[in-house]
Amino acid sequence: MSAAEFDLIARIRARAGQRGGVVLGIGDDAALLQVPPDRQLVVTADTLNAGVHFPDATAPADIGWKSLAVNLSDLAAMGAVPAWCTLSLSLPQADPSWVDAFLDGFLDLADQHAIGLVGGDTTRGPLSISVTAMGLVESGGALRRDRARVGDDVWVTGTPGDAAAALEALQQGREAPKSLRQRLDRPMPRVAAGRRLSGLAHACIDISDGLLADLTHICESSGVGAEINLVELPASADLASVESNRRWGWQACGGDDYELCFTASPHNRDLIVQALDFTDVSATRIGRIVSEQGVRAFDADAQEWRPPSRGYEHFL
Ligand code: ADP
Ligand code: MG
């Protein structure tokens, strides 16, 4: 390891902070973590590559925020409480000011969720950030994809489509409204909502690849189908006035939302609304789980709607 990389790790270590359950953090060959006896460890990893998962011109602090946010979103979708994370950085050059700015965003979000940075790796190469996040759930209490039941309501948190609308503007060389750009660069993982839904929801997933694509994962895992009423989709103030077909393209098929899509018994409708009352987000019922396989979306005239694409797929 070069002196420059050693210096970067020292900078990261100095700012990493403390968290319970860490017997050994940054500095040894590996971290040593104490999992409480009645909890299960939930582990997830996501990589962000420059130009693929964020536009090249994205500010380092936004990259830092987003690289943790996408992982916290996976913990949220499992109903887990964030506990620890690792950070693997591949950097074109050992640039301390870039790392400092990256940490501003990363550690801001880490502090908000009391997640401890306990290790990682620092190498030279094309800009790529890989985070592993670990969380805790009561044993047997995780929210899973494979538990949806026929007759369940389908719900979504927040206002999907904002990030996709911002990304489309950027790709076309236009400026996106600030509020939409914020949704793309600084997604808010729905951790509190996921926690409160455990015990109330049957199945849950976070929307990273598009609502219909991710709901299809729930349906395939659970051996069921779903019907979605697009007119029920909640839209942000920025998107509300956009012509519906265009808006639904972003809302139903656009990626990068990091909202939660979940299914639950109709008996739990009031409890779900109450449970999310004091979180940062509300949820809206948008359809139902049916026995016929596949996910179908319907427009205002109850006609089946054909999406322009089924969400963002790599390698297409
Ligand atoms: P090793 O050669 O044993 O893999 P490293 O020199 O890669 O050790 O890392 C030294 C210590 O610094 C380890 O505890 C590792 O987890 C931590 N570390 C390295 N890079 C990062 C990073 N980007 N973020 C957090 N911790 C890091
Ligand atoms: Mg290493």
Side-chain angles (χ1 to χ4, degrees), residues 27-138:
D28 211 306
D29 292 310
L32 206 49
L33 306 169
Q34 191 67 51
V35 178
D38 52 347
R39 295 287 190 277
Q40 287 174 323
L41 185 65
V42 183
V43 182
T44 183
D46 259 322
T47 298
L48 266 63
N49 293 323
V52 180
H53 301 97
F54 55 87
D56 281 314
T58 308
D62 290 337
I63 300 171
W65 176 287
K66 191 163 182 174
S67 64
L68 182 59
V70 300
N71 282 279
L72 290 176
S73 178
D74 284 320
L75 292 184
M78 300 298 289
V81 180
W84 311 293
C85 63
T86 65
L87 168 64
S88 292
L89 286 173
S90 164
L91 303 172
Q93 65 255 335
D95 178 351
S97 62
W98 191 95
V99 170
D100 283 342
F102 173 92
L103 289 175
D104 288 343
F106 187 96
L107 295 175
D108 181 0
L109 186 62
D111 287 347
Q112 288 183 30
H113 292 277
I115 189 167
L117 177 59
V118 297
D121 200 22
T122 307
T123 56
R124 199 173 289 251
L127 181 59
S128 175
I129 301 100
S130 189
V131 172
T132 297
M134 288 158 273
L136 299 169
V137 288
E138 297 76 19

